[in-house]
Each structure stands twice: as C-alpha cells, then as structure tokens.
Amino acid sequence: MLGLALALRLRQRGQRVTVFEAAPTLGGLASAWQVGGVVWDRYYHVITQTDSRLLGLLKELDLEGDIRWGVTRTNFYTGSAMHPLNNAVDFLRLPVLGLLDKARLGATILYASRIDDGRRLEKLTAEAWLTRLSGRTTYRKLWRPLLRSKLGSNHAKASAAYIWSVIRRFYGARHGNMKTEMFGYVPGGYHRIIGCLTARLEVEGVTLKAGMPVTTVRPTPDSLEVTAGGAAQTFDRVVNTCAGPIALRVCEGLGEAEKARHGAIEYQGIVCASLLLERPLGGAYLTYITDESIPFTTVIEMTSLVDRALTAGKHLVYLPRYLPSDDPLLDASDEAIEAEFLPALMRMFPDLARDEITAFKVTRTRHVLAISTCDYSDRLPPMATSQPGLHIVNSAQIVNASLSVNETVNLANEATEILMAAEAAPAGAPAA
C-alpha cells in the first residue's frame, strides 16, 4: 500500500514511475486472498472516522461514499470468563479491577488521548509509564494483555509512545456519551480498494510489474540499476519500500553506519489464521485475551462489522499472533498451527463445535511492523541514503503512531514532499 500510494503521489507531481512488486498480486499487507469460497483481506483492517489520510485517498478513488459504518463491541477474556467492555457501565462492572484501579485506568486513557505529541514518551517504556499512571495491578491485568495483543513477547521493549498512539487512534473511534466504538469498511474490502487504486495508477500511466522481485539495486556512475526478474533497468531515482532487512539485502553500496542504523531496527512478525464459521462466536469485533496460555493474542470477528452477504453467509474470524521476526512459528505448517489454535478457540467458546468451522487458512509476515523502542526517533535512519538518488522509505518511519493503512498513506504523502524537495532528477530515465 505504501508503494502504490507513493507511486500515485509522485505521478501526480509529474514523475514517471515504475512499481516492482515481488508478490504475484499487488497490495502487500493490504492484499486480499480466498478462504473457502470467500475473498476478503489477508489481514484484518477497519477504517476509523479519524483516518483522514485514508479517507482522502478513498475520496480520490470515488469510494468514500461507499463506506459502511457500524458500532462494534469489545470483549475481554480472562481465562475463566468472557466480559463485555463496550461502555462506561461495562467498564465499571469489569471484575478484574477494583474501583480505584478503574478510576486510574480511565484517567490514564483520558490523559493519553489529550497528548498531542508523543515524542517525549519515547524516553519511557510502556510498562513504566502505564504502571506509574494506572498502577501495577492494572498494568498486569489489563495493559500487559493489551500490549501483548499487538506485540506478543516483544511488549516489554515498546516505548510509552507506542501505546499512546494506539490509545489516540482507538479513542478517536469512540463516539457519544457512552463512548461506543464505531468502525467502517468498504464493501469488497481491500480487494476492491487495491483494484481501484491499481486502475487509477494505470490510467495515470504508472507501470506496474507484479511477480517481479527486485534482487539488486546497484549504483552506476550516472544512474541506479535495478535487477528484477533477471532483467536490469536503469532509473534516475529509486525508492525501496521494503522492510529494513530486505532493503539491506537488496541495496548495494550503502555505508556501514547506515547499514547499522537500519539493521538495529527490531521488527515484529505475525502469524494470522482466517476462519470461516457457520455461526457467530460472541458477536464482538474484538476480544482481548489475558490468558497467556492461549496461543493467539486476540480474536477478531470481522463479520460483527462486515455484512455476511459479502462473505457468502459465513462468519469470518481472524486469530492473530504477533511474535518476534525469528520465531519458529513463522515456519510452522498450517496443520501445526491449526492443531494449536483450534483447541484454544474452543476452550474460549465451549459451545463451538469443530464441524461448525468450515475453513482454516494461515498467512504469515516476518517483518510486519517495527517496534517503537525507547529513543526510537533519535536512532531512525533518514529516508535518503548515501547513494545519490536512492531512498529507503518503509513503515519503520511511521514514528509515534500505530501502524495502520491511514498512517501508511500519510507516510507516502510525507515521503513525496521529501522526494520532490530533493535535487531534481536528471532528464532521461524515469524514477522507480
């Protein structure tokens, strides 16, 4: 999505652009796939009403008016029971926290939602900051499970700026006096969004080359040589939008210092199972899990939001597990993951029968997001590299914000301004 959005913005600024995509289809983390007879997003995505950059792009693609908005529910699974967590009343009834703990938790969320700049929070770990504001009990019983739901075993490395960004985005999705949560989606999901964006790029004259993994980007005396699919082409400028470890493997001629800065970024991976069910689970879009014996970190019941007419009448559920990028589970077979995940799901939902699960399919990404560690901004490498014309722009540069399609589009917008402000490209070859 970053590469496609960046290609559109550069083309709108008069650049000639070629996009190389390693996968056979475009979209990356926002791409769709088929589970059973249903085509929907490989990973779970929603739109909030504060996602202004994404909404702006959807408006350009004539999709903004098609967004369907809905109020969603949230549950909290403690290992022994399921508790609703949808409004102030549910919050007060939550049995895992005492009244004082709940008051401190509410104050923490309100305080975080009103901080405009999270840069100073990079000096503290999320654990230290949340423990100071909410107390040790609340951190252990609520904040730690929430951090684990997105960061897995890496949660202790995250800075306070990370959880601040998450609170800001999801607090902004809540409306009304009861602060109910409202999300949106485009019918057809990102399969439709990417299709519309691809069509726009083609009309604008952008060259799209899917199934063409780039193996090297090599500097030459007056250009940059890109080898993809066994063939070499030259370009005036190249923007590599891959995760740091891949960019370092592909881009030749980088200095040792910048290699070290890119290599020091720690990435989070994900294993995510998509399931089709004959019946709903609990009707909540999101179920947080405090029981760390459960092998996935959250339950996302997508059809609590998405109309089941779009999923062939089936109930679509995601079971994500965030984990370090070198975790062995990333190499495990679908069958092994199914054997681990399904018994745990049926433990959470004891009335779920195995024959009510009609499809189970697993997707994996080793470098899905960079962990926002302490002093992250100070150590982040710039987009420009030591090689003239070569930039590395990836999701690691989404600083003090949660990784979302909205922030990805925002990064593309910001990178466009930086690239256009750089020295004008020589005449002749197009930009890649």
Side-chain angles (χ1 to χ4, degrees):
M1 192 69 185
L2 173 59
L4 296 177
L6 184 55
L8 178 64
R9 296 294 178 241
L10 289 171
R11 185 70 191 108
Q12 289 170 337
R13 302 289 284 270
Q15 302 298 304
R16 287 182 291 154
V17 184
T18 298
V19 176
F20 293 97
E21 167 58 52
T25 57
L26 298 167
L29 293 174
S31 62
W33 67 344
Q34 183 168 315
V35 181
V38 174
V39 175
W40 201 258
D41 308 339
R42 277 200 308 142
Y43 296 105
Y44 53 97
H45 300 285
V46 291
I47 304 166
T48 76
Q49 293 184 331
T50 59
D51 287 347
S52 57
R53 282 82 171 188
L54 174 57
L55 291 171
L57 177 61
L58 294 177
K59 184 176 182 179
E60 289 182 59
L61 300 176
D62 297 321
L63 291 174
E64 186 184 33
D66 291 349
I67 298 173
R68 297 183 186 178
W69 298 98
V71 174
T72 61
R73 291 166 48 202
T74 300
N75 281 342
F76 203 79
Y77 179 71
T78 61
S80 59
M82 195 78 69
H83 304 281
L85 194 61
N86 302 297
N87 52 46
V89 175
D90 289 342
F91 178 75
L92 290 172
R93 289 174 177 170
L94 191 65
V96 297
L97 297 177
L99 191 59
L100 178 59
D101 292 327
K102 290 172 184 175
R104 293 184 69 178
L105 173 62
T108 300
I109 294 171
L110 185 61
Y111 171 65
S113 70
R114 294 181 175 180
I115 296 174
D116 293 324
D117 185 357
R119 178 69 182 267
R120 64 184 177 84
L121 297 178
E122 290 185 19
K123 298 296 181 183
L124 299 168
T125 65
E127 179 177 3
W129 187 61
L130 293 170
T131 300
R132 187 180 74 192
L133 293 175
S134 298
R136 190 165 300 280
T137 299
T138 304
Y139 176 79
R140 178 171 53 85
K141 292 186 176 182
L142 193 138
W143 285 120
R144 175 185 156 95
L146 297 186
L147 284 168
R148 179 177 168 270
S149 72
K150 273 294 187 183
L151 298 175
S153 61
N154 283 324
H155 69 272
K157 300 178 181 179
S159 76
Y162 170 79
I163 192 64
W164 163 77
S165 70
V166 173
I167 292 170
R168 286 263 297 181
R169 181 170 189 251
F170 285 98
Y171 189 85
R174 291 181 174 266
H175 295 267
N177 293 332
M178 297 294 282
K179 281 296 180 183
T180 53
E181 199 163 57
M182 180 171 283
F183 291 139
Y185 68 96
V186 172
Y190 272 87
H191 178 70
R192 183 178 173 203
I193 294 171
I194 295 296
C196 290
L197 179 53
T198 298
R200 174 64 60 84
L201 290 169
E202 290 174 336
V203 167
E204 296 284 351
V206 173
T207 301
L208 302 172
K209 296 189 176 185
M212 294 282 283
V214 172
T215 52
T216 59
V217 177
R218 185 176 64 86
T220 66
D222 56 0
S223 65
L224 289 160
E225 182 183 86
V226 175
T227 301
Q233 290 182 252
T234 57
F235 298 90
D236 292 325
R237 286 181 285 174
V238 171
V239 184
N240 190 312
T241 59
C242 299
I246 301 171
L248 289 178
R249 188 168 67 239
V250 167
C251 298
E252 298 183 358
L254 298 178
E256 292 304 316
E258 61 189 331
K259 284 183 183 179
R261 291 184 75 175
H262 282 285
I265 298 170
E266 296 185 66
Y267 280 85
Q268 182 85 351
I270 186 175
V271 169
C272 188
S274 293
L275 290 73
L276 291 183
L277 279 63
E278 294 287 356
R279 44 147 287 187
L281 285 177
Y285 169 74
L286 178 60
T287 299
Y288 292 113
I289 301 168
T290 64
D291 183 352
E292 295 190 12
S293 70
I294 301 295
F296 40 87
T297 47
T298 327
V299 177
I300 307 292
E301 191 168 349
M302 185 57 66
T303 38
S304 68
L305 173 67
V306 172
D307 188 343
R308 283 193 296 118
L310 300 171
T311 58
K314 305 292 186 183
H315 296 264
L316 175 61
V317 172
Y318 294 93
L319 304 178
R321 178 171 172 178
Y322 291 87
L323 66 186
S325 59
D326 59 353
D327 193 288
L329 192 66
L330 286 159
D331 299 312
S333 67
D334 284 17
E335 293 75 18
I337 293 169
E338 181 176 346
E340 186 178 2
F341 279 25
L342 287 191
L345 183 66
M346 288 187 281
R347 177 152 59 93
M348 290 179 64
F349 300 92
D351 57 342
L352 177 65
R354 179 62 184 87
D355 61 5
E356 293 176 312
I357 303 170
T358 62
F360 185 100
K361 191 174 180 181
V362 180
T363 186
R364 309 156 180 81
T365 299
R366 196 170 293 276
H367 305 107
V368 68
L369 77 152
I371 303 168
S372 180
T373 51
C374 289
D375 297 320
Y376 184 77
S377 298
D378 295 334
R379 294 182 285 106
L380 190 65
M383 296 180 185
T385 72
S386 59
Q387 294 300 319
L390 174 61
H391 288 71
I392 296 176
V393 180
N394 56 39
S395 60
Q397 286 149 341
I398 298 175
V399 180
N400 292 336
S402 57
L403 177 62
S404 64
V405 178
N406 180 67
E407 291 300 334
T408 299
V409 174
N410 184 53
L411 177 60
N413 295 344
E414 291 178 347
T416 299
E417 298 305 319
I418 291 171
L419 290 163
M420 295 306 298
E423 184 178 352

